[in-house]
Amino acid sequence: LGEKIVIAVDAMGGDNAPNEIIKGSVDSLENQNIEIILLGNEEIINKQLSLYAYDQNRIRVVNTSEVISTSETPTTAIKKKKDSSLVVGLNLVKQNEAHAFVSAGNTGAILAGATLIIGRLKGVERPTLATLIPNKKGISFLSDSGANVDTKPSHLVQFAKMGTIYMESVMNIKNPKVGLVNIGAEREKGNTLVKESYILLEQQDINFVGNVEATEIPYGEVDIIVCDGFVGNVILKHSEGFAKMMLEMIKAELMADSASKLGAILSKNAFKRVKKKFNADEIGGAPFLGLKSLVVKAHGSSNHQAIKSAINQCVNFVDADVINKISDKLSQSAVE
Amino acid sequence: LGEKIVIAVDAMGGDNAPNEIIKGSVDSLENQNIEIILLGNEEIINKQLSLYAYDQNRIRVVNTSEVISTSETPTTAIKKKKDSSLVVGLNLVKQNEAHAFVSAGNTGAILAGATLIIGRLKGVERPTLATLIPNKKGISFLSDSGANVDTKPSHLVQFAKMGTIYMESVMNIKNPKVGLVNIGAEREKGNTLVKESYILLEQQDINFVGNVEATEIPYGEVDIIVCDGFVGNVILKHSEGFAKMMLEMIKAELMADSASKLGAILSKNAFKRVKKKFNADEIGGAPFLGLKSLVVKAHGSSNHQAIKSAINQCVNFVDADVINKISDKLSQSAVE
């Protein structure tokens, strides 16, 4: 690998593949330190690329012939479809031909592939899918956000540690606050998992501030939201659905009387700003933390802007040396 | 018990006790079929009651001398504080002196008290706290919403059955749709609990429509949202926090430029309608289903309007004969 940051991008994964993925990759070249390897059907990709003016030395296309569908069992698909964009892309990262892999494809398949091909760092029990979610103040780190649905307390402890490293190194937040998602503020609240996790989290060298109730999450009361992947996925999807529904409901009510209709026209800029704050496209993808290399899951519905953000996020991640930092911290012992 | 519906109301529980509780109780007398028993410090209650004009034959005050604090262990507090408004109120229901008990106090204490004093219906494994939550179309029934945090698949099946009875009898929804909260639409998704529950739910005589992702919950895609109490409490509190935060954020952005400021004044009525839709005060309280009598948990921050709604909800519940219907359905076998 040379001086540039090389990102392998799965051109075939996601709802808007391949066109939006390709456009996002081209746009990401604005950052002069980036090189892209696009994986997928060469003919389709080249045809699409020919629509854009870009530095041809900085995008390479690698043809892949197989496609993993959402109905396949992830582990089986990974083993069988050696010439899929996912498997080829992960192998490029493994063989040090790329610094990172970005895909908007199936989460389960990416996780299975990344674990099998790239592998976990020593000391990491479970890699976590960490999503950055918008809140009133800015963003929070949500871990796990859907990769690990049956978890142990020691997993949550590791999510908290990896989150602390990520928020410190990549997001430049000093001494980030870690909160455990719970159904009450008191330490004795919750189910068996969180009660046991609370005790372990208190013993770690992190800024654990205790339980965080879901009421507080939209306010950004903590920087790192720790929970099992089932609860995290519910929080993530509920945020998306709720924000969308509320804006639709407000729009409908604004159209329901003539004064409000005029008001809506005048308030256009205010609503643009609100929508921008909830726009996941500008935040980037969700990194899998705990792997030997960087793998980023972009949202399934990613447009070119979201892909560009996900690629740019990889650069910050590589620059911040997050993987070595996680390795140093987690290799000591699973739970200190 | 005569022809009127008698509701025992805990005047001492909740953030706005006793004043708002007392005012809500007085207001509920608008319904000519209601009689109220107010439980708590007689002197304080009578002083407050003297501020209102109301039919004195329809409110009776029962003095209680003890108060259960939030820091006490529920089960111990129930056994020790026999003269608390909670214990006395539940005993009135048990002894058939009241049809229902309403409290805005501590959820854990109410559940513990209700289970110990009133008891579960035969065949019910776990009583469930069922909350009605607002959505784009109307309301959904969320069960469990925080009483049962470590649950088994058979519990979720019972929540689904009790929810079906409630939505049919009290809310007049024919063949209500039951959805299982999950992290994907496919049946093989999720953690061990939901995978096992899915299989059991399919075998029941209910309108089970499969998994519901959290994105769909705010849209009211299903009438009955089934999940364990940890996940349900997260959904409930996340809705509350998210709606509040979004309205605050929109307000702040509307004030940030002068055109939007004017727009906000013109759109006042639209925002009033939106707020009304998210106003939990008009929905009522959360019934515990699966008990031998009706116990309703009102929101801790209930104002008089919320208390009035909770009391009115009891009337519909008693009229609809929900307890006998649950008893008939659940006594057959835990899981059919």
Side-chain angles (χ1 to χ4, degrees):
Chain A
L1 283 169
E3 290 190 7
K4 296 210 189 292
I5 307 278
V6 182
I7 319 282
V9 179
D10 177 1
M12 309 313 277
D15 306 340
N16 304 312
N19 294 6
E20 289 290 311
I21 316 285
I22 295 167
K23 180 160 170 33
S25 300
V26 169
D27 288 352
S28 75
L29 297 182
E30 275 173 27
N31 181 331
Q32 295 299 326
N33 292 318
I34 291 178
E35 277 183 18
I36 300 285
I37 302 174
L38 276 170
L39 301 139
N41 183 307
E42 197 170 24
E43 203 179 326
I44 296 173
I45 296 173
N46 281 329
K47 200 177 154 192
Q48 195 64 26
L49 277 176
S50 70
L51 301 176
Y52 305 107
Y54 64 95
D55 181 352
Q56 304 210 352
N57 295 319
R58 288 165 59 213
I59 294 194
R60 181 157 69 95
V61 179
V62 170
N63 187 53
T64 61
S65 61
E66 290 174 300
V67 172
I68 295 175
S69 76
T70 46
S71 60
E72 289 176 273
T73 311
T75 321
T76 320
I78 296 298
K79 287 181 182 159
K80 233 177 53 187
K81 297 195 167 166
K82 300 280 183 208
D83 199 38
S84 58
S85 50
L86 177 58
V87 174
V88 174
L90 290 169
N91 274 313
L92 285 176
V93 174
K94 192 196 175 170
Q95 292 146 11
N96 278 323
E97 291 182 46
H99 292 89
F101 176 69
V102 172
S103 175
N106 182 278
T107 310
I110 300 171
L111 176 64
T115 310
L116 280 167
I117 296 167
I118 291 175
R120 281 175 288 139
L121 285 169
K122 189 169 166 279
V124 170
E125 296 177 49
R126 297 272 189 99
T128 180
L129 180 65
T131 305
L132 297 174
I133 58 168
N135 61 50
K136 202 179 182 192
K137 291 181 191 166
I139 53 149
S140 313
F141 174 100
L142 176 70
S143 169
D144 184 81
S145 65
N148 302 289
V149 293
D150 287 303
T151 52
K152 295 181 197 163
S154 60
H155 301 153
L156 296 196
V157 169
Q158 293 203 331
F159 301 165
K161 286 181 175 186
M162 293 192 278
T164 299
I165 293 167
Y166 186 91
M167 292 306 266
E168 279 182 343
S169 330
V170 181
M171 306 307 292
N172 294 314
I173 295 174
K174 286 215 169 69
N175 205 24
K177 285 186 207 164
V178 175
L180 176 66
V181 178
N182 206 338
I183 62 168
E186 305 83 0
R187 56 179 297 154
E188 65 276 7
K189 287 270 178 163
N191 57 19
T192 313
L193 173 66
V194 300
K195 280 183 202 166
E196 290 177 15
S197 301
Y198 192 105
I199 296 165
L200 292 177
L201 283 164
E202 280 187 306
Q203 297 161 17
Q204 310 305 316
D205 180 24
I206 54 172
N207 185 13
F208 177 56
V209 298
N211 293 329
V212 57
E213 289 189 82
T215 342
E216 303 302 319
I217 291 174
Y219 284 89
E221 293 299 318
V222 297
D223 302 302
I224 296 150
I225 303 162
V226 174
C227 54
D228 73 70
F230 193 93
V231 169
N233 195 266
V234 165
I235 292 169
L236 181 63
K237 288 185 176 158
H238 196 251
S239 305
E240 284 177 20
F242 209 96
K244 199 162 160 261
M245 183 277 280
M246 263 196 91
L247 288 171
E248 284 173 21
M249 188 191 266
I250 290 169
K251 198 177 168 186
E253 292 299 345
L254 286 171
M255 294 301 121
D257 71 86
S258 47
S260 299
K261 239 183 222 174
L262 181 58
I265 296 168
L266 289 166
S267 328
K268 231 174 195 170
N269 286 326
F271 282 100
K272 266 189 197 157
R273 292 191 294 268
V274 171
K275 274 185 192 156
K276 200 174 149 74
K277 286 196 177 164
F278 285 100
N279 188 355
D281 298 342
E282 302 198 9
I283 291 179
F288 282 100
L289 300 181
L291 297 168
K292 286 180 185 160
S293 303
L294 176 58
V295 174
V296 170
K297 158 81 178 113
H299 200 294
S301 64
S302 290
N303 61 12
H304 64 277
Q305 175 63 46
I307 296 296
K308 184 186 164 188
S309 303
I311 293 171
N312 273 307
Q313 185 190 20
C314 294
V315 177
N316 299 337
F317 191 97
V318 172
D319 283 347
D321 201 23
V322 175
I323 289 175
N324 282 327
K325 286 176 184 163
I326 291 177
S327 175
D328 286 350
K329 190 91 180 174
L330 279 281
S331 62
Q332 300 160 21
S333 68
V335 173
E336 282 164 24
Chain B
L1 283 169
E3 289 191 7
K4 297 212 188 290
I5 308 279
V6 182
I7 319 282
V9 179
D10 176 2
M12 308 314 276
D15 307 340
N16 304 313
N19 293 7
E20 289 291 311
I21 316 286
I22 294 167
K23 178 160 171 36
S25 300
V26 169
D27 288 353
S28 75
L29 298 182
E30 276 173 27
N31 182 330
Q32 296 298 327
N33 292 317
I34 290 178
E35 277 182 18
I36 300 286
I37 302 174
L38 275 171
L39 302 138
N41 182 309
E42 197 170 23
E43 201 180 328
I44 296 174
I45 296 174
N46 281 330
K47 199 176 155 193
Q48 194 65 24
L49 277 174
S50 70
L51 302 176
Y52 305 107
Y54 64 94
D55 180 352
Q56 305 211 351
N57 295 319
R58 287 164 61 213
I59 293 194
R60 179 157 69 96
V61 179
V62 171
N63 186 54
T64 61
S65 60
E66 289 174 301
V67 171
I68 295 176
S69 76
T70 47
S71 61
E72 289 175 274
T73 310
T75 322
T76 320
I78 296 300
K79 287 181 184 159
K80 231 178 53 187
K81 298 195 166 165
K82 299 280 183 210
D83 199 39
S84 58
S85 50
L86 177 59
V87 174
V88 174
L90 290 168
N91 274 314
L92 285 176
V93 175
K94 192 195 174 170
Q95 291 146 10
N96 278 324
E97 291 182 45
H99 292 90
F101 176 69
V102 173
S103 175
N106 183 279
T107 309
I110 300 171
L111 176 63
T115 311
L116 280 167
I117 296 166
I118 292 175
R120 283 174 288 139
L121 285 168
K122 190 169 164 279
V124 170
E125 296 176 49
R126 297 271 190 102
T128 180
L129 180 66
T131 305
L132 297 172
I133 57 169
N135 61 51
K136 202 179 181 190
K137 292 179 189 167
I139 53 148
S140 314
F141 173 99
L142 175 70
S143 168
D144 184 79
S145 63
N148 302 287
V149 293
D150 287 303
T151 53
K152 294 182 196 164
S154 60
H155 302 154
L156 297 196
V157 168
Q158 294 203 331
F159 301 165
K161 287 182 174 183
M162 292 193 277
T164 298
I165 293 167
Y166 186 92
M167 291 306 266
E168 279 181 346
S169 332
V170 182
M171 306 307 293
N172 294 313
I173 295 174
K174 285 216 167 69
N175 205 24
K177 287 187 205 164
V178 175
L180 176 65
V181 177
N182 205 338
I183 62 167
E186 305 84 359
R187 57 179 294 152
E188 64 277 6
K189 288 270 178 162
N191 56 18
T192 314
L193 172 68
V194 300
K195 281 183 199 167
E196 290 176 17
S197 301
Y198 193 104
I199 297 165
L200 293 177
L201 284 165
E202 279 187 309
Q203 297 161 18
Q204 310 305 317
D205 181 23
I206 53 172
N207 185 13
F208 177 56
V209 298
N211 292 330
V212 57
E213 290 189 80
T215 342
E216 304 303 319
I217 292 173
Y219 284 89
E221 293 300 318
V222 296
D223 303 302
I224 296 150
I225 303 163
V226 174
C227 54
D228 73 69
F230 193 93
V231 169
N233 194 266
V234 166
I235 292 170
L236 180 64
K237 289 187 177 158
H238 196 250
S239 305
E240 285 177 17
F242 211 95
K244 200 162 159 261
M245 184 277 281
M246 263 194 90
L247 289 172
E248 284 173 20
M249 187 191 268
I250 290 168
K251 198 177 169 189
E253 291 299 344
L254 286 171
M255 293 301 122
D257 71 86
S258 48
S260 299
K261 239 183 222 174
L262 181 58
I265 295 167
L266 289 165
S267 326
K268 230 174 194 169
N269 286 326
F271 282 100
K272 266 189 198 156
R273 292 191 294 268
V274 171
K275 274 184 194 157
K276 199 174 150 72
K277 286 196 178 167
F278 285 102
N279 188 356
D281 297 341
E282 301 198 9
I283 292 179
F288 282 98
L289 300 180
L291 297 169
K292 286 180 186 159
S293 302
L294 176 58
V295 174
V296 170
K297 157 80 179 115
H299 200 294
S301 64
S302 291
N303 60 12
H304 64 277
Q305 175 62 46
I307 295 297
K308 184 186 166 189
S309 304
I311 292 171
N312 272 307
Q313 185 189 20
C314 293
V315 177
N316 299 337
F317 190 98
V318 172
D319 283 348
D321 201 23
V322 175
I323 288 174
N324 281 327
K325 287 176 184 165
I326 290 177
S327 175
D328 285 351
K329 191 91 180 174
L330 279 280
S331 63
Q332 299 160 23
S333 66
V335 173
E336 281 165 24

